[in-house]
Amino acid sequence: MEKMRDARSVVGEWVGHVAVRSPARLALGAFASVILLFTGLLSLPGATASGERAPFIDALFTATSAVCVTGLVTVDTGSYWSAWGLAIIAIGIKVGGLGIMTLASLVGLAVSKRLGLTQRLLAAGEARATGLGDLRSLLRTVVVVSFSIEIVIALILLPRFLTLDYGVGRSIGYSSFYAVSAFNNAGFTPDPAGLYPYADDFWMLVPIALGVLIGSLGYPVYLNMVRGWRRPRMWSLHTKLTLITVGGLMLVSAGFLAIFEWSNPNTLGAASTNETIGNIFFQSINQRSGGFASFDVGQARETTWLLEIVLMFIGGGSGSTAGGIRVTTLAVLLLAIVAEARGRRDMEAFGKRIGTEVLRGAVAITMIGVSVIVIGTAVFMAQTDITLDRALYETVSAYATCGLSTGVTAGLPPEAKGTLIVLMYVGRVGSLTIAAALALSKQRRVIRYPGERPIIG
Protein backbone atom coordinates (compact mmCIF):
# COMPACT_ATOMS: atom_id res chain seq x y z
CA MET A 1 0.00 0.00 0.00
CA GLU A 2 2.83 2.35 0.90
CA LYS A 3 4.55 1.69 -2.42
CA MET A 4 1.32 2.42 -4.28
CA ARG A 5 0.93 5.68 -2.39
CA ASP A 6 4.52 6.62 -3.18
CA ALA A 7 3.96 5.79 -6.86
CA ARG A 8 0.79 7.92 -6.95
CA SER A 9 2.66 10.73 -5.23
CA VAL A 10 5.50 10.57 -7.77
CA VAL A 11 3.05 10.55 -10.69
CA GLY A 12 1.09 13.43 -9.18
CA GLU A 13 4.24 15.48 -8.66
CA TRP A 14 5.41 14.74 -12.21
CA VAL A 15 2.06 15.76 -13.71
CA GLY A 16 2.02 18.88 -11.59
CA HIS A 17 5.58 19.73 -12.68
CA VAL A 18 4.76 19.26 -16.38
CA ALA A 19 1.50 21.20 -15.97
CA VAL A 20 3.31 24.17 -14.46
CA ARG A 21 6.36 24.07 -16.75
CA SER A 22 4.56 23.28 -20.00
CA PRO A 23 0.76 23.00 -19.82
CA ALA A 24 0.61 23.23 -23.62
CA ARG A 25 2.62 20.04 -24.07
CA LEU A 26 0.56 18.30 -21.42
CA ALA A 27 -2.66 19.21 -23.24
CA LEU A 28 -1.38 18.18 -26.66
CA GLY A 29 0.09 14.88 -25.50
CA ALA A 30 -2.76 13.90 -23.19
CA PHE A 31 -5.54 14.44 -25.71
CA ALA A 32 -3.66 12.78 -28.57
CA SER A 33 -2.95 9.71 -26.43
CA VAL A 34 -6.53 9.42 -25.19
CA ILE A 35 -7.93 9.81 -28.72
CA LEU A 36 -5.70 7.01 -30.01
CA LEU A 37 -6.73 4.78 -27.10
CA PHE A 38 -10.44 5.23 -27.77
CA THR A 39 -9.90 4.84 -31.51
CA GLY A 40 -8.47 1.41 -30.79
CA LEU A 41 -11.40 0.49 -28.55
CA LEU A 42 -13.96 1.59 -31.15
CA SER A 43 -12.10 -0.40 -33.80
CA LEU A 44 -12.88 -3.65 -31.97
CA PRO A 45 -15.60 -5.82 -33.60
CA GLY A 46 -17.70 -5.78 -30.41
CA ALA A 47 -18.04 -2.00 -30.56
CA THR A 48 -20.40 -2.08 -33.56
CA ALA A 49 -23.95 -3.38 -33.70
CA SER A 50 -23.11 -5.52 -36.73
CA GLY A 51 -20.10 -7.14 -35.06
CA GLU A 52 -17.80 -5.99 -37.87
CA ARG A 53 -14.83 -3.71 -37.43
CA ALA A 54 -15.60 -0.04 -38.00
CA PRO A 55 -13.53 1.65 -40.71
CA PHE A 56 -10.47 3.28 -39.11
CA ILE A 57 -11.45 6.79 -40.25
CA ASP A 58 -14.91 6.48 -38.66
CA ALA A 59 -13.47 5.07 -35.41
CA LEU A 60 -10.90 7.89 -35.31
CA PHE A 61 -13.53 10.52 -36.13
CA THR A 62 -15.92 9.26 -33.43
CA ALA A 63 -13.14 8.97 -30.84
CA THR A 64 -11.92 12.50 -31.58
CA SER A 65 -15.46 13.85 -31.46
CA ALA A 66 -16.09 12.11 -28.12
CA VAL A 67 -12.83 13.02 -26.38
CA CYS A 68 -13.00 16.59 -27.71
CA VAL A 69 -16.71 16.63 -26.62
CA THR A 70 -17.86 17.82 -30.05
CA GLY A 71 -20.74 15.61 -31.18
CA LEU A 72 -20.15 15.49 -34.93
CA VAL A 73 -20.57 11.95 -36.26
CA THR A 74 -19.96 10.17 -39.54
CA VAL A 75 -22.19 7.20 -38.58
CA ASP A 76 -25.46 7.18 -36.65
CA THR A 77 -24.53 6.79 -33.00
CA GLY A 78 -27.64 4.96 -31.84
CA SER A 79 -27.86 2.38 -34.63
CA TYR A 80 -24.23 1.84 -35.69
CA TRP A 81 -22.59 1.26 -32.31
CA SER A 82 -23.41 -1.57 -29.91
CA ALA A 83 -24.14 -1.12 -26.21
CA TRP A 84 -20.43 -1.67 -25.61
CA GLY A 85 -19.62 0.93 -28.27
CA LEU A 86 -21.97 3.45 -26.66
CA ALA A 87 -20.31 2.81 -23.30
CA ILE A 88 -16.88 3.48 -24.86
CA ILE A 89 -18.16 6.76 -26.35
CA ALA A 90 -19.67 7.82 -23.00
CA ILE A 91 -16.40 7.07 -21.19
CA GLY A 92 -14.50 8.98 -23.86
CA ILE A 93 -16.79 11.97 -23.36
CA LYS A 94 -16.31 11.79 -19.59
CA VAL A 95 -12.53 11.49 -19.80
CA GLY A 96 -12.37 14.32 -22.32
CA GLY A 97 -14.62 16.56 -20.25
CA LEU A 98 -12.64 16.01 -17.06
CA GLY A 99 -9.40 16.59 -18.95
CA ILE A 100 -10.63 19.85 -20.41
CA MET A 101 -11.76 21.30 -17.09
CA THR A 102 -8.64 20.10 -15.29
CA LEU A 103 -6.16 21.30 -17.91
CA ALA A 104 -7.90 24.66 -18.23
CA SER A 105 -7.65 25.09 -14.47
CA LEU A 106 -4.01 23.97 -14.50
CA VAL A 107 -3.25 26.76 -16.96
CA GLY A 108 -4.49 29.16 -14.29
CA LEU A 109 -2.22 27.50 -11.74
CA ALA A 110 0.73 27.65 -14.11
CA VAL A 111 0.16 31.36 -14.71
CA SER A 112 0.05 32.11 -10.96
CA LYS A 113 3.38 30.26 -10.53
CA ARG A 114 5.02 32.63 -13.00
CA LEU A 115 3.72 35.89 -11.53
CA GLY A 116 5.56 38.26 -9.23
CA LEU A 117 4.87 38.50 -5.49
CA THR A 118 2.19 41.18 -5.74
CA GLN A 119 0.40 39.43 -8.58
CA ARG A 120 0.64 36.11 -6.73
CA LEU A 121 -1.13 37.57 -3.73
CA LEU A 122 -3.88 38.85 -6.00
CA ALA A 123 -4.01 35.52 -7.81
CA ALA A 124 -4.27 33.70 -4.50
CA GLY A 125 -7.40 35.69 -3.71
CA GLU A 126 -8.82 34.84 -7.10
CA ALA A 127 -7.88 31.19 -6.60
CA ARG A 128 -9.81 31.12 -3.35
CA ALA A 129 -12.79 32.69 -5.12
CA THR A 130 -12.71 30.24 -8.02
CA GLY A 131 -11.52 27.15 -6.20
CA LEU A 132 -8.22 26.82 -8.08
CA GLY A 133 -6.02 25.48 -5.33
CA ASP A 134 -3.35 22.81 -5.39
CA LEU A 135 -3.40 20.02 -7.95
CA ARG A 136 -4.87 17.26 -5.80
CA SER A 137 -7.72 19.33 -4.36
CA LEU A 138 -8.41 20.69 -7.85
CA LEU A 139 -8.74 17.23 -9.37
CA ARG A 140 -10.84 15.98 -6.48
CA THR A 141 -13.25 18.91 -6.63
CA VAL A 142 -13.62 18.75 -10.43
CA VAL A 143 -14.42 15.02 -10.29
CA VAL A 144 -16.89 15.34 -7.40
CA VAL A 145 -18.74 18.32 -8.88
CA SER A 146 -19.02 16.85 -12.39
CA PHE A 147 -20.16 13.41 -11.23
CA SER A 148 -22.69 14.93 -8.81
CA ILE A 149 -24.34 17.04 -11.51
CA GLU A 150 -24.43 14.13 -13.97
CA ILE A 151 -25.99 11.81 -11.38
CA VAL A 152 -28.75 14.34 -10.67
CA ILE A 153 -29.51 14.73 -14.39
CA ALA A 154 -29.55 10.95 -14.88
CA LEU A 155 -31.93 10.48 -11.93
CA ILE A 156 -34.32 13.05 -13.41
CA LEU A 157 -34.27 11.39 -16.85
CA LEU A 158 -34.48 7.78 -15.63
CA PRO A 159 -38.22 7.77 -14.75
CA ARG A 160 -39.03 9.22 -18.16
CA PHE A 161 -37.23 6.41 -19.98
CA LEU A 162 -38.94 3.87 -17.75
CA THR A 163 -42.33 5.25 -18.79
CA LEU A 164 -41.30 4.72 -22.44
CA ASP A 165 -40.96 0.97 -21.83
CA TYR A 166 -37.24 0.95 -22.56
CA GLY A 167 -36.60 -1.57 -19.82
CA VAL A 168 -34.57 -1.01 -16.67
CA GLY A 169 -31.12 -1.69 -18.15
CA ARG A 170 -31.61 0.38 -21.29
CA SER A 171 -33.27 3.20 -19.32
CA ILE A 172 -30.32 3.41 -16.93
CA GLY A 173 -27.90 3.34 -19.85
CA TYR A 174 -29.72 6.02 -21.85
CA SER A 175 -30.28 8.36 -18.89
CA SER A 176 -26.61 8.06 -17.90
CA PHE A 177 -25.45 8.61 -21.48
CA TYR A 178 -27.59 11.73 -21.91
CA ALA A 179 -26.43 13.09 -18.53
CA VAL A 180 -22.75 12.70 -19.41
CA SER A 181 -23.27 14.02 -22.94
CA ALA A 182 -25.28 17.04 -21.73
CA PHE A 183 -23.03 18.20 -18.89
CA ASN A 184 -19.91 17.80 -21.04
CA ASN A 185 -21.58 19.63 -23.95
CA ALA A 186 -20.90 16.67 -26.25
CA GLY A 187 -24.20 16.46 -28.16
CA PHE A 188 -24.09 12.67 -28.65
CA THR A 189 -27.46 10.89 -28.50
CA PRO A 190 -27.92 7.11 -28.04
CA ASP A 191 -31.32 7.20 -29.75
CA PRO A 192 -31.15 6.45 -33.50
CA ALA A 193 -33.63 9.27 -34.14
CA GLY A 194 -31.86 11.66 -31.77
CA LEU A 195 -34.01 14.15 -29.86
CA TYR A 196 -36.45 14.76 -32.73
CA PRO A 197 -39.12 12.43 -31.22
CA TYR A 198 -38.91 14.38 -27.93
CA ALA A 199 -39.41 17.85 -29.43
CA ASP A 200 -42.58 18.29 -27.33
CA ASP A 201 -41.30 16.40 -24.28
CA PHE A 202 -40.14 18.96 -21.72
CA TRP A 203 -39.31 16.19 -19.24
CA MET A 204 -36.51 15.27 -21.64
CA LEU A 205 -35.52 18.69 -22.97
CA VAL A 206 -35.35 20.68 -19.72
CA PRO A 207 -32.84 18.46 -17.81
CA ILE A 208 -30.65 18.15 -20.92
CA ALA A 209 -30.73 21.91 -21.51
CA LEU A 210 -29.87 22.63 -17.86
CA GLY A 211 -27.00 20.14 -18.01
CA VAL A 212 -25.63 21.84 -21.13
CA LEU A 213 -26.02 25.30 -19.57
CA ILE A 214 -24.28 24.39 -16.30
CA GLY A 215 -21.47 22.60 -18.12
CA SER A 216 -20.93 25.54 -20.48
CA LEU A 217 -20.48 28.05 -17.65
CA GLY A 218 -17.23 26.54 -16.50
CA TYR A 219 -15.95 24.97 -13.33
CA PRO A 220 -14.60 28.24 -11.84
CA VAL A 221 -17.97 29.95 -12.33
CA TYR A 222 -20.35 27.51 -10.71
CA LEU A 223 -17.90 26.75 -7.91
CA ASN A 224 -17.61 30.47 -7.25
CA MET A 225 -21.41 30.77 -7.29
CA VAL A 226 -21.94 27.82 -4.94
CA ARG A 227 -19.38 29.04 -2.44
CA GLY A 228 -20.61 32.62 -2.50
CA TRP A 229 -24.33 32.16 -3.21
CA ARG A 230 -25.26 34.41 -0.29
CA ARG A 231 -23.16 37.31 -1.58
CA PRO A 232 -23.49 37.66 -5.36
CA ARG A 233 -21.78 41.04 -5.21
CA MET A 234 -18.60 39.31 -4.09
CA TRP A 235 -18.50 36.99 -7.09
CA SER A 236 -15.37 37.32 -9.23
CA LEU A 237 -15.35 39.53 -12.31
CA HIS A 238 -14.96 36.42 -14.46
CA THR A 239 -18.15 34.94 -13.01
CA LYS A 240 -20.16 38.12 -13.52
CA LEU A 241 -18.98 38.61 -17.09
CA THR A 242 -19.67 34.98 -17.94
CA LEU A 243 -23.22 34.99 -16.52
CA ILE A 244 -24.22 38.29 -18.10
CA THR A 245 -22.77 37.43 -21.51
CA VAL A 246 -24.31 33.94 -21.52
CA GLY A 247 -27.71 35.34 -20.51
CA GLY A 248 -27.53 38.05 -23.15
CA LEU A 249 -26.55 35.59 -25.88
CA MET A 250 -29.40 33.27 -24.91
CA LEU A 251 -31.93 36.09 -25.27
CA VAL A 252 -30.45 37.27 -28.57
CA SER A 253 -30.38 33.70 -29.87
CA ALA A 254 -33.96 33.00 -28.82
CA GLY A 255 -35.21 36.24 -30.36
CA PHE A 256 -33.57 35.75 -33.75
CA LEU A 257 -34.43 32.04 -33.82
CA ALA A 258 -38.09 32.94 -33.32
CA ILE A 259 -37.92 35.46 -36.15
CA PHE A 260 -36.19 33.07 -38.55
CA GLU A 261 -37.89 29.73 -37.81
CA TRP A 262 -41.36 30.44 -36.36
CA SER A 263 -42.99 30.18 -39.79
CA ASN A 264 -40.67 27.53 -41.26
CA PRO A 265 -42.86 24.40 -41.75
CA ASN A 266 -39.76 22.18 -41.90
CA THR A 267 -38.59 23.09 -38.38
CA LEU A 268 -40.89 24.92 -35.93
CA GLY A 269 -43.71 26.17 -38.15
CA ALA A 270 -45.87 23.05 -37.77
CA ALA A 271 -45.49 22.81 -33.96
CA SER A 272 -47.82 24.20 -31.30
CA THR A 273 -47.02 27.54 -29.67
CA ASN A 274 -45.80 25.95 -26.41
CA GLU A 275 -43.67 23.43 -28.27
CA THR A 276 -42.18 26.16 -30.47
CA ILE A 277 -41.29 28.37 -27.51
CA GLY A 278 -39.79 25.41 -25.64
CA ASN A 279 -37.69 24.40 -28.65
CA ILE A 280 -36.52 27.97 -29.20
CA PHE A 281 -35.11 28.21 -25.69
CA PHE A 282 -33.70 24.68 -25.90
CA GLN A 283 -31.84 25.60 -29.08
CA SER A 284 -30.76 28.98 -27.69
CA ILE A 285 -28.74 27.06 -25.09
CA ASN A 286 -27.41 24.40 -27.48
CA GLN A 287 -26.49 26.67 -30.39
CA ARG A 288 -23.29 27.86 -28.69
CA SER A 289 -21.87 24.61 -27.39
CA GLY A 290 -24.29 21.80 -26.57
CA GLY A 291 -24.78 20.39 -30.04
CA PHE A 292 -28.19 18.84 -29.32
CA ALA A 293 -30.98 19.61 -31.78
CA SER A 294 -34.72 19.12 -31.32
CA PHE A 295 -35.37 19.81 -35.04
CA ASP A 296 -33.51 19.12 -38.26
CA VAL A 297 -30.87 21.84 -38.58
CA GLY A 298 -30.40 20.91 -42.24
CA GLN A 299 -33.97 22.12 -42.93
CA ALA A 300 -33.44 25.47 -41.16
CA ARG A 301 -33.14 28.70 -43.08
CA GLU A 302 -29.73 30.04 -44.06
CA THR A 303 -30.21 33.03 -41.75
CA THR A 304 -30.46 30.55 -38.87
CA TRP A 305 -27.25 28.89 -40.04
CA LEU A 306 -25.52 32.28 -39.99
CA LEU A 307 -26.81 32.95 -36.48
CA GLU A 308 -25.58 29.57 -35.28
CA ILE A 309 -22.18 29.99 -36.95
CA VAL A 310 -21.64 33.19 -34.96
CA LEU A 311 -22.88 31.63 -31.72
CA MET A 312 -20.79 28.47 -32.15
CA PHE A 313 -17.71 30.60 -32.78
CA ILE A 314 -18.33 32.47 -29.51
CA GLY A 315 -18.87 29.25 -27.55
CA GLY A 316 -19.16 28.93 -23.77
CA GLY A 317 -17.30 29.86 -20.61
CA SER A 318 -13.58 29.57 -19.95
CA GLY A 319 -12.59 26.44 -18.05
CA SER A 320 -15.74 24.68 -19.27
CA THR A 321 -16.34 21.78 -21.64
CA ALA A 322 -17.68 24.21 -24.25
CA GLY A 323 -15.60 25.38 -27.20
CA GLY A 324 -15.30 28.57 -29.22
CA ILE A 325 -13.33 31.70 -28.35
CA ARG A 326 -15.27 31.83 -25.05
CA VAL A 327 -17.87 34.32 -23.85
CA THR A 328 -15.41 36.26 -21.69
CA THR A 329 -13.33 36.92 -24.81
CA LEU A 330 -16.40 38.45 -26.43
CA ALA A 331 -17.14 40.43 -23.26
CA VAL A 332 -13.63 41.90 -23.21
CA LEU A 333 -13.87 42.89 -26.89
CA LEU A 334 -17.24 44.58 -26.27
CA LEU A 335 -15.88 46.41 -23.21
CA ALA A 336 -12.97 47.65 -25.32
CA ILE A 337 -15.43 49.04 -27.89
CA VAL A 338 -17.42 50.76 -25.13
CA ALA A 339 -14.26 52.25 -23.60
CA GLU A 340 -13.08 53.52 -26.97
CA ALA A 341 -16.49 54.98 -27.84
CA ARG A 342 -16.57 56.83 -24.51
CA GLY A 343 -12.99 58.01 -24.82
CA ARG A 344 -11.88 56.18 -21.69
CA ARG A 345 -8.32 55.04 -21.19
CA ASP A 346 -9.21 51.80 -19.39
CA MET A 347 -11.76 49.03 -19.80
CA GLU A 348 -13.93 48.87 -16.70
CA ALA A 349 -16.64 46.54 -15.40
CA PHE A 350 -18.23 46.16 -11.97
CA GLY A 351 -15.76 48.57 -10.38
CA LYS A 352 -12.74 46.68 -11.74
CA ARG A 353 -10.20 47.74 -14.34
CA ILE A 354 -9.27 45.25 -17.06
CA GLY A 355 -5.67 45.48 -18.25
CA THR A 356 -4.66 45.94 -21.87
CA GLU A 357 -2.83 42.57 -21.80
CA VAL A 358 -6.23 40.90 -21.43
CA LEU A 359 -7.48 42.73 -24.51
CA ARG A 360 -4.40 41.67 -26.47
CA GLY A 361 -5.08 38.06 -25.49
CA ALA A 362 -8.72 38.36 -26.55
CA VAL A 363 -7.78 39.84 -29.92
CA ALA A 364 -5.13 37.16 -30.48
CA ILE A 365 -7.51 34.28 -29.64
CA THR A 366 -10.22 35.73 -31.89
CA MET A 367 -7.93 36.32 -34.86
CA ILE A 368 -6.30 32.90 -34.54
CA GLY A 369 -9.77 31.33 -34.48
CA VAL A 370 -10.84 33.24 -37.58
CA SER A 371 -7.65 32.26 -39.40
CA VAL A 372 -8.02 28.56 -38.57
CA ILE A 373 -11.65 28.56 -39.72
CA VAL A 374 -10.88 30.36 -42.98
CA ILE A 375 -8.05 27.96 -43.82
CA GLY A 376 -10.07 24.94 -42.67
CA THR A 377 -13.09 25.95 -44.75
CA ALA A 378 -10.94 26.49 -47.85
CA VAL A 379 -9.33 23.05 -47.47
CA PHE A 380 -12.70 21.44 -46.73
CA MET A 381 -14.30 22.95 -49.85
CA ALA A 382 -11.36 21.85 -51.99
CA GLN A 383 -11.94 18.27 -50.81
CA THR A 384 -15.70 18.27 -51.44
CA ASP A 385 -18.33 19.85 -53.67
CA ILE A 386 -20.20 21.30 -50.68
CA THR A 387 -21.33 24.92 -50.93
CA LEU A 388 -19.79 27.66 -48.79
CA ASP A 389 -22.70 27.98 -46.37
CA ARG A 390 -22.72 24.30 -45.38
CA ALA A 391 -18.92 24.00 -45.47
CA LEU A 392 -18.50 27.00 -43.17
CA TYR A 393 -21.16 25.62 -40.83
CA GLU A 394 -19.41 22.24 -40.52
CA THR A 395 -15.93 23.67 -40.03
CA VAL A 396 -17.04 26.17 -37.40
CA SER A 397 -18.98 23.43 -35.61
CA ALA A 398 -15.85 21.24 -35.61
CA TYR A 399 -13.43 23.98 -34.51
CA ALA A 400 -15.83 25.29 -31.85
CA THR A 401 -16.49 21.67 -30.72
CA CYS A 402 -20.25 22.30 -30.84
CA GLY A 403 -21.44 19.36 -32.94
CA LEU A 404 -24.41 20.81 -34.79
CA SER A 405 -24.52 19.75 -38.43
CA THR A 406 -26.52 20.44 -41.58
CA GLY A 407 -26.36 16.72 -42.35
CA VAL A 408 -23.39 16.47 -44.69
CA THR A 409 -20.85 14.83 -42.34
CA ALA A 410 -21.82 11.21 -42.97
CA GLY A 411 -21.27 11.45 -46.75
CA LEU A 412 -17.85 13.08 -46.63
CA PRO A 413 -14.79 11.53 -48.30
CA PRO A 414 -12.03 10.30 -45.95
CA GLU A 415 -9.80 13.33 -46.54
CA ALA A 416 -12.62 15.75 -45.61
CA LYS A 417 -13.30 13.73 -42.46
CA GLY A 418 -9.60 14.07 -41.69
CA THR A 419 -9.88 17.85 -42.01
CA LEU A 420 -12.72 17.94 -39.49
CA ILE A 421 -10.73 15.66 -37.16
CA VAL A 422 -7.84 18.13 -37.22
CA LEU A 423 -10.22 21.06 -36.63
CA MET A 424 -11.83 19.32 -33.64
CA TYR A 425 -8.43 18.58 -32.13
CA VAL A 426 -7.06 22.07 -32.78
CA GLY A 427 -10.27 23.69 -31.56
CA ARG A 428 -10.22 21.75 -28.32
CA VAL A 429 -6.52 21.68 -27.46
CA GLY A 430 -5.60 24.83 -29.34
CA SER A 431 -7.56 27.13 -27.06
CA LEU A 432 -5.74 25.76 -24.00
CA THR A 433 -2.38 25.92 -25.75
CA ILE A 434 -2.93 29.49 -26.95
CA ALA A 435 -4.11 30.62 -23.52
CA ALA A 436 -1.07 29.06 -21.85
CA ALA A 437 1.32 30.47 -24.43
CA LEU A 438 -0.09 33.99 -24.15
CA ALA A 439 -0.14 33.92 -20.35
CA LEU A 440 3.29 32.37 -19.83
CA SER A 441 5.15 34.43 -22.42
CA LYS A 442 4.72 37.74 -20.62
CA GLN A 443 8.07 39.49 -20.32
CA ARG A 444 9.12 42.68 -18.63
CA ARG A 445 11.29 44.80 -20.91
CA VAL A 446 13.68 47.34 -19.45
CA ILE A 447 13.83 49.32 -22.67
CA ARG A 448 10.62 50.42 -24.39
CA TYR A 449 10.37 52.02 -27.82
CA PRO A 450 8.83 55.49 -28.16
CA GLY A 451 5.09 55.35 -28.73
CA GLU A 452 3.26 56.38 -31.88
CA ARG A 453 -0.38 55.87 -32.78
CA PRO A 454 -1.26 54.78 -36.33
CA ILE A 455 -4.58 55.83 -37.86
CA ILE A 456 -7.29 53.19 -37.27
CA GLY A 457 -10.42 52.96 -39.42
Side-chain angles (χ1 to χ4, degrees):
M1 287 292 291
E2 242 178 78
K3 288 184 179 179
M4 288 181 64
R5 277 192 206 126
D6 291 340
R8 283 200 301 265
S9 178
V10 170
V11 172
E13 288 177 6
W14 178 80
V15 172
H17 177 73
V18 175
V20 170
R21 297 286 296 178
S22 183
R25 288 184 187 176
L26 180 63
L28 290 169
F31 273 87
S33 301
V34 173
I35 288 171
L36 290 177
L37 171 63
F38 281 93
T39 300
L41 293 174
L42 289 174
S43 297
L44 297 174
T48 63
S50 64
E52 300 177 354
R53 287 185 180 274
F56 175 77
I57 188 66
D58 292 323
L60 177 61
F61 193 101
T62 305
T64 306
S65 185
V67 174
C68 294
V69 292
T70 304
L72 286 175
V73 293
T74 54
V75 294
D76 183 75
T77 304
S79 60
Y80 187 83
W81 303 105
S82 64
W84 167 240
L86 291 175
I88 293 173
I89 293 172
I91 295 171
I93 293 170
K94 185 62 186 172
V95 171
L98 285 175
I100 291 161
M101 290 190 292
T102 303
L103 286 171
S105 300
L106 286 175
V107 169
L109 285 176
V111 172
S112 67
K113 296 281 186 180
R114 293 283 293 271
L115 296 176
L117 178 59
T118 304
Q119 288 93 341
R120 279 198 196 185
L121 292 174
L122 293 173
E126 186 69 11
R128 285 192 294 272
T130 58
L132 302 181
D134 62 277
L135 178 60
R136 291 180 182 175
S137 63
L138 169 66
L139 293 172
R140 184 169 54 249
T141 308
V142 167
V143 170
V144 170
V145 170
S146 62
F147 271 102
S148 299
I149 295 173
E150 288 164 357
I151 289 172
V152 171
I153 297 172
L155 290 176
I156 295 174
L157 291 174
L158 178 58
R160 180 56 182 148
F161 283 112
L162 290 173
T163 62
L164 296 173
D165 296 327
Y166 274 27
V168 176
R170 190 179 174 193
S171 296
I172 293 174
Y174 273 27
S175 59
S176 301
F177 191 102
Y178 272 115
V180 171
S181 186
F183 175 74
N184 292 284
N185 283 221
F188 280 89
T189 60
D191 281 297
L195 288 177
Y196 299 161
Y198 309 111
D200 59 347
D201 191 343
F202 291 162
W203 193 348
M204 284 284 293
L205 298 185
V206 171
I208 292 174
L210 288 177
V212 171
L213 178 61
I214 295 171
S216 70
L217 293 177
Y219 163 76
V221 171
Y222 48 75
L223 191 60
N224 187 207
M225 292 173 61
V226 169
R227 290 183 172 179
W229 64 275
R230 292 183 178 180
R231 296 184 298 172
R233 291 184 179 180
M234 301 302 293
W235 288 347
S236 67
L237 178 61
H238 171 75
T239 298
K240 293 176 181 177
L241 288 178
T242 299
L243 293 176
I244 288 177
T245 309
V246 166
L249 288 173
M250 284 176 57
L251 292 176
V252 169
S253 172
F256 279 108
L257 192 60
I259 294 172
F260 298 151
E261 297 297 326
W262 194 286
S263 60
N264 185 353
N266 297 319
T267 55
L268 300 176
S272 65
T273 301
N274 289 338
E275 182 181 339
T276 300
I277 293 174
N279 278 270
I280 284 173
F281 279 98
F282 180 81
Q283 288 302 123
S284 71
I285 295 173
N286 281 277
Q287 282 174 324
R288 287 181 299 104
S289 59
F292 291 101
S294 54
F295 59 81
D296 187 357
V297 176
Q299 299 296 321
R301 293 185 170 128
E302 292 180 353
T303 48
T304 300
W305 292 352
L306 178 60
L307 170 68
E308 291 178 339
I309 287 170
V310 173
L311 292 171
M312 287 190 293
F313 181 71
I314 295 170
S318 300
S320 74
T321 53
I325 62 172
R326 305 299 194 272
V327 292
T328 43
T329 301
L330 174 65
V332 169
L333 294 175
L334 293 177
L335 288 172
I337 294 173
V338 171
E340 187 65 25
R342 294 181 176 180
R344 293 181 178 176
R345 180 179 179 182
D346 299 317
M347 296 178 294
E348 299 169 347
F350 299 101
K352 300 289 180 68
R353 178 176 59 84
I354 301 175
T356 54
E357 68 276 6
V358 179
L359 176 60
R360 291 201 301 268
V363 172
I365 289 172
T366 303
M367 293 308 299
I368 290 171
V370 170
S371 301
V372 171
I373 288 171
V374 169
I375 295 171
T377 303
V379 173
F380 186 78
M381 291 183 68
Q383 296 168 331
T384 65
D385 56 356
I386 297 174
T387 56
L388 175 60
D389 50 359
R390 291 180 182 269
L392 182 61
Y393 193 102
E394 298 297 315
T395 53
V396 172
S397 182
Y399 177 77
T401 65
C402 178
L404 290 174
S405 174
T406 58
V408 301
T409 314
L412 294 176
E415 59 272 19
K417 293 178 183 178
T419 298
L420 293 184
I421 288 172
V422 172
L423 285 172
M424 286 189 285
Y425 180 75
V426 171
R428 173 50 62 206
V429 183
S431 58
L432 296 174
T433 305
I434 294 166
L438 292 175
L440 298 178
S441 62
K442 290 175 63 177
Q443 298 178 356
R444 285 185 174 274
R445 297 188 61 177
V446 178
I447 301 174
R448 300 178 69 187
Y449 291 110
E452 185 173 344
R453 184 169 181 171
I455 299 172
I456 301 296

